[in-house]
Amino acid sequence: MTANVDTRLAPRQRLARGLKYSTVGPVDVTRGVVGLSADTATAVAAGLRKRYESGKLRRQLAAAAEAVAALPEVLQEATTPEPKRCHRRLLIAGVAAAALAGGAVAFSIVRRSSRPEPSPLPPSVEVTPKP
């Protein structure tokens, strides 16, 4: 079985061949995945270039730059807490803590009640063996 070195395989064909044959499989699978990734990256770059040249991406980047420029004001507005929401958050946190504590108590009670009580009878086998 000889491999034709002159024939160049496409990444998709290389991946299929690598999955088919186990002896040269890992190498072909790796080369196929790398080739497909490179082809995909090239196609994405070409698409971005076309979008940028058409002006659509340029407008989107300008809008993103405006949003980033307005970010300090938005953050400053977000840092001033309203007292009503603060009380509501504390109330929700308290209810959640109480529910967790109640669950823990219920779990420990159920766990203690499910343990068998020790038998009042003496053991049937000697506990300490004789030498």
Side-chain angles (χ1 to χ4, degrees):
M1 182 193 249
T2 61
N4 190 355
V5 181
D6 295 334
T7 306
R8 308 248 338 159
L9 296 175
R12 186 173 305 182
Q13 292 169 335
R14 188 176 301 282
L15 180 62
R17 188 178 82 170
L19 292 174
K20 186 176 178 184
Y21 300 110
S22 62
T23 55
V24 292
V27 174
D28 277 343
V29 168
T30 304
R31 289 182 67 186
V33 168
V34 168
L36 285 175
S37 300
D39 290 347
T40 303
T42 304
V44 168
L48 286 175
R49 189 177 316 118
K50 285 181 183 178
R51 282 180 53 198
Y52 186 76
E53 289 172 357
S54 70
K56 185 175 183 181
L57 185 61
R58 192 177 304 147
R59 287 189 298 270
Q60 289 175 351
L61 289 176
E66 290 175 12
V68 169
L71 193 60
E73 294 91 22
V74 172
L75 287 176
Q76 189 170 5
E77 291 173 4
T79 56
T80 55
E82 296 179 12
K84 187 175 183 180
R85 284 188 177 175
C86 186
H87 292 298
R88 185 180 299 160
R89 287 180 184 166
L90 287 175
L91 178 66
I92 291 172
V95 168
L100 283 173
V105 169
F107 177 76
S108 65
I109 290 173
V110 168
R111 179 125 188 212
R112 283 184 193 157
S113 65
S114 67
R115 288 186 186 160
E117 294 186 17
S119 175
L121 300 175
S124 59
V125 180
E126 288 188 41
V127 178
T128 55
K130 294 181 182 177

